[in-house]
mmCIF file of all heavy atoms in Angstrom:
data_model
loop_
_atom_site.group_PDB
_atom_site.id
_atom_site.type_symbol
_atom_site.label_atom_id
_atom_site.label_comp_id
_atom_site.label_asym_id
_atom_site.label_seq_id
_atom_site.Cartn_x
_atom_site.Cartn_y
_atom_site.Cartn_z
ATOM 1 N N SER A 110 -7.061 -15.507 -5.888
ATOM 2 C CA SER A 110 -5.742 -15.667 -5.264
ATOM 3 C C SER A 110 -5.913 -15.886 -3.769
ATOM 4 O O SER A 110 -6.879 -15.411 -3.161
ATOM 5 C CB SER A 110 -4.894 -14.413 -5.506
ATOM 6 O OG SER A 110 -5.487 -13.278 -4.892
ATOM 7 N N PRO A 111 -4.969 -16.595 -3.148
ATOM 8 C CA PRO A 111 -5.073 -16.809 -1.703
ATOM 9 C C PRO A 111 -4.779 -15.522 -0.937
ATOM 10 O O PRO A 111 -4.037 -14.662 -1.402
ATOM 11 C CB PRO A 111 -4.003 -17.871 -1.435
ATOM 12 C CG PRO A 111 -3.002 -17.673 -2.530
ATOM 13 C CD PRO A 111 -3.792 -17.252 -3.741
ATOM 14 N N GLU A 112 -5.387 -15.406 0.222
ATOM 15 C CA GLU A 112 -5.089 -14.273 1.103
ATOM 16 C C GLU A 112 -3.623 -14.367 1.516
ATOM 17 O O GLU A 112 -3.173 -15.405 2.003
ATOM 18 C CB GLU A 112 -5.977 -14.318 2.340
ATOM 19 C CG GLU A 112 -5.800 -13.159 3.296
ATOM 20 C CD GLU A 112 -6.397 -11.875 2.784
ATOM 21 O OE1 GLU A 112 -7.525 -11.889 2.294
ATOM 22 O OE2 GLU A 112 -5.702 -10.840 2.875
ATOM 23 N N PRO A 113 -2.826 -13.309 1.313
ATOM 24 C CA PRO A 113 -1.406 -13.374 1.686
ATOM 25 C C PRO A 113 -1.225 -13.645 3.180
ATOM 26 O O PRO A 113 -1.964 -13.115 4.005
ATOM 27 C CB PRO A 113 -0.879 -11.985 1.306
ATOM 28 C CG PRO A 113 -1.855 -11.449 0.316
ATOM 29 C CD PRO A 113 -3.179 -12.011 0.700
ATOM 30 N N ALA A 114 -0.261 -14.443 3.510
ATOM 31 C CA ALA A 114 0.033 -14.726 4.919
ATOM 32 C C ALA A 114 0.616 -13.482 5.572
ATOM 33 O O ALA A 114 1.374 -12.724 4.947
ATOM 34 C CB ALA A 114 1.017 -15.887 5.020
ATOM 35 N N TRP A 115 0.262 -13.259 6.827
ATOM 36 C CA TRP A 115 0.826 -12.128 7.565
ATOM 37 C C TRP A 115 2.260 -12.451 7.949
ATOM 38 O O TRP A 115 2.529 -13.481 8.564
ATOM 39 C CB TRP A 115 -0.001 -11.831 8.808
ATOM 40 C CG TRP A 115 -1.413 -11.426 8.513
ATOM 41 C CD1 TRP A 115 -2.539 -12.148 8.725
ATOM 42 C CD2 TRP A 115 -1.839 -10.184 7.940
ATOM 43 N NE1 TRP A 115 -3.648 -11.451 8.317
ATOM 44 C CE2 TRP A 115 -3.254 -10.235 7.838
ATOM 45 C CE3 TRP A 115 -1.171 -9.033 7.502
ATOM 46 C CZ2 TRP A 115 -4.005 -9.192 7.321
ATOM 47 C CZ3 TRP A 115 -1.927 -7.991 6.984
ATOM 48 C CH2 TRP A 115 -3.320 -8.062 6.889
ATOM 49 N N LEU A 116 3.172 -11.568 7.597
ATOM 50 C CA LEU A 116 4.586 -11.801 7.881
ATOM 51 C C LEU A 116 4.967 -11.353 9.284
ATOM 52 O O LEU A 116 5.961 -11.809 9.840
ATOM 53 C CB LEU A 116 5.447 -11.080 6.836
ATOM 54 C CG LEU A 116 5.178 -11.480 5.381
ATOM 55 C CD1 LEU A 116 6.072 -10.682 4.442
ATOM 56 C CD2 LEU A 116 5.378 -12.981 5.188
ATOM 57 N N ARG A 117 4.185 -10.418 9.839
ATOM 58 C CA ARG A 117 4.383 -9.944 11.209
ATOM 59 C C ARG A 117 3.011 -9.831 11.868
ATOM 60 O O ARG A 117 1.987 -10.036 11.233
ATOM 61 C CB ARG A 117 5.114 -8.584 11.211
ATOM 62 C CG ARG A 117 6.504 -8.631 10.619
ATOM 63 C CD ARG A 117 7.241 -7.296 10.802
ATOM 64 N NE ARG A 117 6.680 -6.234 9.966
ATOM 65 C CZ ARG A 117 7.133 -4.973 9.958
ATOM 66 N NH1 ARG A 117 8.145 -4.623 10.758
ATOM 67 N NH2 ARG A 117 6.590 -4.065 9.175
ATOM 68 N N ASP A 118 2.988 -9.489 13.137
ATOM 69 C CA ASP A 118 1.736 -9.342 13.878
ATOM 70 C C ASP A 118 0.814 -8.377 13.133
ATOM 71 O O ASP A 118 1.126 -7.192 12.982
ATOM 72 C CB ASP A 118 2.042 -8.793 15.276
ATOM 73 C CG ASP A 118 0.806 -8.741 16.177
ATOM 74 O OD1 ASP A 118 -0.303 -8.537 15.659
ATOM 75 O OD2 ASP A 118 0.958 -8.892 17.395
ATOM 76 N N PRO A 119 -0.345 -8.856 12.636
ATOM 77 C CA PRO A 119 -1.204 -7.996 11.817
ATOM 78 C C PRO A 119 -1.898 -6.883 12.582
ATOM 79 O O PRO A 119 -2.494 -5.997 11.969
ATOM 80 C CB PRO A 119 -2.237 -8.985 11.245
ATOM 81 C CG PRO A 119 -2.284 -10.101 12.233
ATOM 82 C CD PRO A 119 -0.879 -10.221 12.767
ATOM 83 N N GLU A 120 -1.832 -6.916 13.922
ATOM 84 C CA GLU A 120 -2.396 -5.816 14.698
ATOM 85 C C GLU A 120 -1.366 -4.719 14.922
ATOM 86 O O GLU A 120 -1.709 -3.541 15.002
ATOM 87 C CB GLU A 120 -2.938 -6.321 16.029
ATOM 88 C CG GLU A 120 -4.160 -7.214 15.875
ATOM 89 C CD GLU A 120 -4.885 -7.427 17.186
ATOM 90 O OE1 GLU A 120 -4.259 -7.270 18.259
ATOM 91 O OE2 GLU A 120 -6.078 -7.749 17.147
ATOM 92 N N LEU A 121 -0.097 -5.094 15.004
ATOM 93 C CA LEU A 121 0.960 -4.114 15.243
ATOM 94 C C LEU A 121 1.535 -3.526 13.958
ATOM 95 O O LEU A 121 1.969 -2.369 13.939
ATOM 96 C CB LEU A 121 2.098 -4.748 16.052
ATOM 97 C CG LEU A 121 1.890 -4.911 17.557
ATOM 98 C CD1 LEU A 121 3.048 -5.671 18.173
ATOM 99 C CD2 LEU A 121 1.721 -3.558 18.225
ATOM 100 N N TYR A 122 1.552 -4.312 12.884
ATOM 101 C CA TYR A 122 2.278 -3.902 11.678
ATOM 102 C C TYR A 122 1.367 -3.888 10.452
ATOM 103 O O TYR A 122 0.574 -4.802 10.235
ATOM 104 C CB TYR A 122 3.438 -4.867 11.414
ATOM 105 C CG TYR A 122 4.450 -4.915 12.533
ATOM 106 C CD1 TYR A 122 4.377 -5.912 13.507
ATOM 107 C CD2 TYR A 122 5.462 -3.966 12.627
ATOM 108 C CE1 TYR A 122 5.294 -5.955 14.539
ATOM 109 C CE2 TYR A 122 6.391 -4.012 13.657
ATOM 110 C CZ TYR A 122 6.301 -4.997 14.611
ATOM 111 O OH TYR A 122 7.206 -5.044 15.644
ATOM 112 N N HIS A 123 1.528 -2.859 9.646
ATOM 113 C CA HIS A 123 0.811 -2.780 8.379
ATOM 114 C C HIS A 123 1.518 -3.635 7.335
ATOM 115 O O HIS A 123 2.747 -3.698 7.297
ATOM 116 C CB HIS A 123 0.776 -1.328 7.894
ATOM 117 C CG HIS A 123 0.264 -1.169 6.494
ATOM 118 N ND1 HIS A 123 -0.961 -1.642 6.093
ATOM 119 C CD2 HIS A 123 0.815 -0.584 5.401
ATOM 120 C CE1 HIS A 123 -1.147 -1.358 4.817
ATOM 121 N NE2 HIS A 123 -0.086 -0.736 4.372
ATOM 122 N N GLN A 124 0.715 -4.297 6.506
ATOM 123 C CA GLN A 124 1.258 -5.081 5.401
ATOM 124 C C GLN A 124 0.430 -4.786 4.162
ATOM 125 O O GLN A 124 -0.745 -5.112 4.095
ATOM 126 C CB GLN A 124 1.214 -6.579 5.723
ATOM 127 C CG GLN A 124 1.797 -7.457 4.624
ATOM 128 C CD GLN A 124 1.876 -8.917 5.062
ATOM 129 O OE1 GLN A 124 2.372 -9.228 6.149
ATOM 130 N NE2 GLN A 124 1.390 -9.818 4.222
ATOM 131 N N ALA A 125 1.043 -4.138 3.186
ATOM 132 C CA ALA A 125 0.332 -3.733 1.986
ATOM 133 C C ALA A 125 0.032 -4.927 1.097
ATOM 134 O O ALA A 125 0.757 -5.925 1.094
ATOM 135 C CB ALA A 125 1.151 -2.702 1.216
ATOM 136 N N SER A 126 -1.037 -4.813 0.317
ATOM 137 C CA SER A 126 -1.405 -5.837 -0.650
ATOM 138 C C SER A 126 -2.270 -5.195 -1.719
ATOM 139 O O SER A 126 -3.026 -4.261 -1.434
ATOM 140 C CB SER A 126 -2.176 -6.974 0.030
ATOM 141 O OG SER A 126 -2.688 -7.891 -0.932
ATOM 142 N N SER A 127 -2.165 -5.697 -2.944
ATOM 143 C CA SER A 127 -3.054 -5.212 -4.005
ATOM 144 C C SER A 127 -4.191 -6.202 -4.244
ATOM 145 O O SER A 127 -4.969 -6.029 -5.184
ATOM 146 C CB SER A 127 -2.276 -5.016 -5.310
ATOM 147 O OG SER A 127 -1.949 -6.270 -5.907
ATOM 148 N N ARG A 128 -4.294 -7.233 -3.415
ATOM 149 C CA ARG A 128 -5.376 -8.195 -3.579
ATOM 150 C C ARG A 128 -6.705 -7.474 -3.424
ATOM 151 O O ARG A 128 -6.864 -6.614 -2.546
ATOM 152 C CB ARG A 128 -5.255 -9.307 -2.540
ATOM 153 C CG ARG A 128 -6.228 -10.460 -2.727
ATOM 154 C CD ARG A 128 -5.970 -11.542 -1.688
ATOM 155 N NE ARG A 128 -6.773 -12.726 -1.921
ATOM 156 C CZ ARG A 128 -8.013 -12.893 -1.438
ATOM 157 N NH1 ARG A 128 -8.569 -11.943 -0.709
ATOM 158 N NH2 ARG A 128 -8.677 -14.001 -1.692
ATOM 159 N N PRO A 129 -7.704 -7.789 -4.250
ATOM 160 C CA PRO A 129 -9.008 -7.138 -4.111
ATOM 161 C C PRO A 129 -9.535 -7.218 -2.682
ATOM 162 O O PRO A 129 -9.495 -8.274 -2.049
ATOM 163 C CB PRO A 129 -9.884 -7.930 -5.087
ATOM 164 C CG PRO A 129 -8.926 -8.358 -6.160
ATOM 165 C CD PRO A 129 -7.653 -8.691 -5.427
ATOM 166 N N GLY A 130 -9.984 -6.079 -2.189
ATOM 167 C CA GLY A 130 -10.441 -5.969 -0.813
ATOM 168 C C GLY A 130 -9.449 -5.282 0.089
ATOM 169 O O GLY A 130 -9.771 -4.939 1.229
ATOM 170 N N ALA A 131 -8.220 -5.045 -0.404
ATOM 171 C CA ALA A 131 -7.193 -4.341 0.369
ATOM 172 C C ALA A 131 -7.093 -2.888 -0.088
ATOM 173 O O ALA A 131 -7.456 -2.550 -1.218
ATOM 174 C CB ALA A 131 -5.833 -5.027 0.204
ATOM 175 N N HIS A 132 -6.613 -2.066 0.797
ATOM 176 C CA HIS A 132 -6.365 -0.667 0.454
ATOM 177 C C HIS A 132 -5.244 -0.589 -0.580
ATOM 178 O O HIS A 132 -4.278 -1.356 -0.522
ATOM 179 C CB HIS A 132 -5.967 0.100 1.714
ATOM 180 C CG HIS A 132 -5.843 1.586 1.534
ATOM 181 N ND1 HIS A 132 -4.711 2.172 1.022
ATOM 182 C CD2 HIS A 132 -6.704 2.592 1.793
ATOM 183 C CE1 HIS A 132 -4.870 3.486 0.987
ATOM 184 N NE2 HIS A 132 -6.079 3.764 1.448
ATOM 185 N N LEU A 133 -5.373 0.316 -1.538
ATOM 186 C CA LEU A 133 -4.324 0.488 -2.539
ATOM 187 C C LEU A 133 -2.984 0.733 -1.855
ATOM 188 O O LEU A 133 -2.862 1.637 -1.026
ATOM 189 C CB LEU A 133 -4.656 1.674 -3.448
ATOM 190 C CG LEU A 133 -3.600 1.993 -4.514
ATOM 191 C CD1 LEU A 133 -3.601 0.934 -5.600
ATOM 192 C CD2 LEU A 133 -3.850 3.387 -5.102
ATOM 193 N N PRO A 134 -1.948 -0.043 -2.166
ATOM 194 C CA PRO A 134 -0.641 0.194 -1.539
ATOM 195 C C PRO A 134 -0.124 1.597 -1.835
ATOM 196 O O PRO A 134 -0.324 2.130 -2.935
ATOM 197 C CB PRO A 134 0.256 -0.868 -2.185
ATOM 198 C CG PRO A 134 -0.675 -1.943 -2.629
ATOM 199 C CD PRO A 134 -1.928 -1.229 -3.052
ATOM 200 N N HIS A 135 0.536 2.175 -0.845
ATOM 201 C CA HIS A 135 1.132 3.502 -1.036
ATOM 202 C C HIS A 135 2.483 3.383 -1.723
ATOM 203 O O HIS A 135 3.363 2.638 -1.253
ATOM 204 C CB HIS A 135 1.310 4.202 0.302
ATOM 205 C CG HIS A 135 2.276 5.354 0.252
ATOM 206 N ND1 HIS A 135 2.130 6.403 -0.630
ATOM 207 C CD2 HIS A 135 3.428 5.602 0.954
ATOM 208 C CE1 HIS A 135 3.136 7.254 -0.472
ATOM 209 N NE2 HIS A 135 3.925 6.783 0.486
ATOM 210 N N VAL A 136 2.650 4.080 -2.827
ATOM 211 C CA VAL A 136 3.963 4.215 -3.472
ATOM 212 C C VAL A 136 4.075 5.641 -3.994
ATOM 213 O O VAL A 136 3.070 6.312 -4.254
ATOM 214 C CB VAL A 136 4.162 3.223 -4.652
ATOM 215 C CG1 VAL A 136 4.133 1.789 -4.162
ATOM 216 C CG2 VAL A 136 3.122 3.443 -5.743
ATOM 217 N N TRP A 137 5.295 6.088 -4.149
ATOM 218 C CA TRP A 137 5.543 7.407 -4.734
ATOM 219 C C TRP A 137 5.830 7.252 -6.222
ATOM 220 O O TRP A 137 6.669 6.442 -6.634
ATOM 221 C CB TRP A 137 6.731 8.090 -4.059
ATOM 222 C CG TRP A 137 6.452 8.555 -2.660
ATOM 223 C CD1 TRP A 137 6.960 8.039 -1.510
ATOM 224 C CD2 TRP A 137 5.598 9.635 -2.274
ATOM 225 N NE1 TRP A 137 6.476 8.721 -0.419
ATOM 226 C CE2 TRP A 137 5.647 9.712 -0.857
ATOM 227 C CE3 TRP A 137 4.804 10.550 -2.977
ATOM 228 C CZ2 TRP A 137 4.919 10.664 -0.141
ATOM 229 C CZ3 TRP A 137 4.085 11.497 -2.261
ATOM 230 C CH2 TRP A 137 4.148 11.550 -0.861
ATOM 231 N N LEU A 138 5.125 8.043 -7.020
ATOM 232 C CA LEU A 138 5.356 8.116 -8.454
ATOM 233 C C LEU A 138 6.009 9.455 -8.760
ATOM 234 O O LEU A 138 6.288 10.245 -7.855
ATOM 235 C CB LEU A 138 4.027 7.980 -9.207
ATOM 236 C CG LEU A 138 3.205 6.722 -8.874
ATOM 237 C CD1 LEU A 138 1.842 6.793 -9.557
ATOM 238 C CD2 LEU A 138 3.954 5.467 -9.269
ATOM 239 N N SER A 139 6.222 9.724 -10.032
ATOM 240 C CA SER A 139 6.851 10.985 -10.438
ATOM 241 C C SER A 139 6.055 11.603 -11.583
ATOM 242 O O SER A 139 5.692 10.917 -12.546
ATOM 243 C CB SER A 139 8.290 10.731 -10.892
ATOM 244 O OG SER A 139 8.866 11.907 -11.429
ATOM 245 N N GLU A 140 5.771 12.877 -11.471
ATOM 246 C CA GLU A 140 5.142 13.648 -12.544
ATOM 247 C C GLU A 140 6.040 14.841 -12.846
ATOM 248 O O GLU A 140 6.160 15.754 -12.035
ATOM 249 C CB GLU A 140 3.752 14.131 -12.129
ATOM 250 C CG GLU A 140 3.050 14.916 -13.228
ATOM 251 C CD GLU A 140 1.714 15.492 -12.770
ATOM 252 O OE1 GLU A 140 1.515 15.630 -11.547
ATOM 253 O OE2 GLU A 140 0.888 15.832 -13.628
ATOM 254 N N ASN A 141 6.709 14.792 -13.991
ATOM 255 C CA ASN A 141 7.682 15.841 -14.339
ATOM 256 C C ASN A 141 8.730 16.014 -13.239
ATOM 257 O O ASN A 141 9.133 17.133 -12.921
ATOM 258 C CB ASN A 141 6.977 17.172 -14.610
ATOM 259 C CG ASN A 141 6.063 17.103 -15.819
ATOM 260 O OD1 ASN A 141 6.389 16.450 -16.813
ATOM 261 N ND2 ASN A 141 4.909 17.760 -15.736
ATOM 262 N N GLY A 142 9.126 14.887 -12.649
ATOM 263 C CA GLY A 142 10.154 14.921 -11.615
ATOM 264 C C GLY A 142 9.627 15.198 -10.225
ATOM 265 O O GLY A 142 10.375 15.090 -9.249
ATOM 266 N N ARG A 143 8.357 15.553 -10.114
ATOM 267 C CA ARG A 143 7.761 15.877 -8.812
ATOM 268 C C ARG A 143 7.089 14.642 -8.235
ATOM 269 O O ARG A 143 6.374 13.923 -8.928
ATOM 270 C CB ARG A 143 6.726 16.991 -8.992
ATOM 271 C CG ARG A 143 6.040 17.441 -7.710
ATOM 272 C CD ARG A 143 5.084 18.596 -8.001
ATOM 273 N NE ARG A 143 4.028 18.188 -8.914
ATOM 274 C CZ ARG A 143 2.859 17.656 -8.531
ATOM 275 N NH1 ARG A 143 2.629 17.448 -7.244
ATOM 276 N NH2 ARG A 143 1.948 17.329 -9.424
ATOM 277 N N ARG A 144 7.319 14.387 -6.947
ATOM 278 C CA ARG A 144 6.738 13.199 -6.309
ATOM 279 C C ARG A 144 5.217 13.316 -6.217
ATOM 280 O O ARG A 144 4.686 14.356 -5.825
ATOM 281 C CB ARG A 144 7.303 13.002 -4.906
ATOM 282 C CG ARG A 144 8.699 12.437 -4.879
ATOM 283 C CD ARG A 144 9.003 11.688 -3.595
ATOM 284 N NE ARG A 144 8.490 12.320 -2.371
ATOM 285 C CZ ARG A 144 8.561 11.773 -1.165
ATOM 286 N NH1 ARG A 144 9.118 10.588 -1.019
ATOM 287 N NH2 ARG A 144 8.092 12.390 -0.114
ATOM 288 N N VAL A 145 4.538 12.238 -6.553
ATOM 289 C CA VAL A 145 3.087 12.163 -6.460
ATOM 290 C C VAL A 145 2.726 10.818 -5.856
ATOM 291 O O VAL A 145 3.249 9.783 -6.286
ATOM 292 C CB VAL A 145 2.419 12.294 -7.846
ATOM 293 C CG1 VAL A 145 0.909 12.146 -7.725
ATOM 294 C CG2 VAL A 145 2.777 13.604 -8.501
ATOM 295 N N ALA A 146 1.868 10.811 -4.861
ATOM 296 C CA ALA A 146 1.425 9.551 -4.258
ATOM 297 C C ALA A 146 0.432 8.865 -5.177
ATOM 298 O O ALA A 146 -0.450 9.511 -5.758
ATOM 299 C CB ALA A 146 0.784 9.810 -2.905
ATOM 300 N N ALA A 147 0.553 7.549 -5.309
ATOM 301 C CA ALA A 147 -0.373 6.808 -6.171
ATOM 302 C C ALA A 147 -1.815 7.014 -5.744
ATOM 303 O O ALA A 147 -2.710 7.102 -6.594
ATOM 304 C CB ALA A 147 -0.016 5.325 -6.150
ATOM 305 N N MET A 148 -2.057 7.111 -4.431
ATOM 306 C CA MET A 148 -3.439 7.283 -3.986
ATOM 307 C C MET A 148 -4.032 8.607 -4.450
ATOM 308 O O MET A 148 -5.254 8.738 -4.572
ATOM 309 C CB MET A 148 -3.545 7.163 -2.461
ATOM 310 C CG MET A 148 -2.932 8.288 -1.660
ATOM 311 S SD MET A 148 -3.572 8.336 0.051
ATOM 312 C CE MET A 148 -5.205 9.021 -0.205
ATOM 313 N N ASP A 149 -3.175 9.602 -4.747
ATOM 314 C CA ASP A 149 -3.686 10.894 -5.194
ATOM 315 C C ASP A 149 -4.232 10.837 -6.616
ATOM 316 O O ASP A 149 -4.892 11.773 -7.075
ATOM 317 C CB ASP A 149 -2.599 11.957 -5.089
ATOM 318 C CG ASP A 149 -2.252 12.292 -3.646
ATOM 319 O OD1 ASP A 149 -3.074 11.992 -2.756
ATOM 320 O OD2 ASP A 149 -1.164 12.839 -3.404
ATOM 321 N N LEU A 150 -3.956 9.756 -7.326
ATOM 322 C CA LEU A 150 -4.526 9.562 -8.653
ATOM 323 C C LEU A 150 -5.939 8.992 -8.555
ATOM 324 O O LEU A 150 -6.654 8.912 -9.561
ATOM 325 C CB LEU A 150 -3.666 8.600 -9.478
ATOM 326 C CG LEU A 150 -2.421 9.159 -10.188
ATOM 327 C CD1 LEU A 150 -1.458 9.822 -9.228
ATOM 328 C CD2 LEU A 150 -1.707 8.029 -10.936
ATOM 329 N N CYS A 151 -6.315 8.597 -7.352
ATOM 330 C CA CYS A 151 -7.589 7.896 -7.147
ATOM 331 C C CYS A 151 -8.510 8.738 -6.270
ATOM 332 O O CYS A 151 -8.205 9.863 -5.909
ATOM 333 C CB CYS A 151 -7.327 6.542 -6.498
ATOM 334 S SG CYS A 151 -6.097 5.539 -7.366
ATOM 335 N N GLY A 152 -9.640 8.166 -5.925
ATOM 336 C CA GLY A 152 -10.579 8.850 -5.041
ATOM 337 C C GLY A 152 -11.422 9.874 -5.764
ATOM 338 O O GLY A 152 -11.806 9.708 -6.917
#
């Protein structure tokens, strides 16, 4: 896949991507109604 274009200044603003080579995007999931960060399932 092509590298996503930066929508804002890439030095000032974070832009999430799931493209291989990028950090896993942060999202909140739910476990029995309790918030869990997706990154906490990893590592």
Side-chain angles (χ1 to χ4, degrees):
S110 63
E112 183 74 46
W115 298 108
L116 302 179
R117 298 187 290 179
D118 186 328
E120 292 194 337
L121 282 175
Y122 299 96
H123 170 56
Q124 181 173 311
S126 172
S127 73
R128 187 177 186 272
H132 187 278
L133 178 72
H135 162 56
V136 297
W137 288 110
L138 305 173
S139 173
E140 181 185 21
N141 296 322
R143 181 177 62 89
R144 284 206 319 175
V145 177
M148 70 161 285
D149 291 341
L150 278 57
C151 308

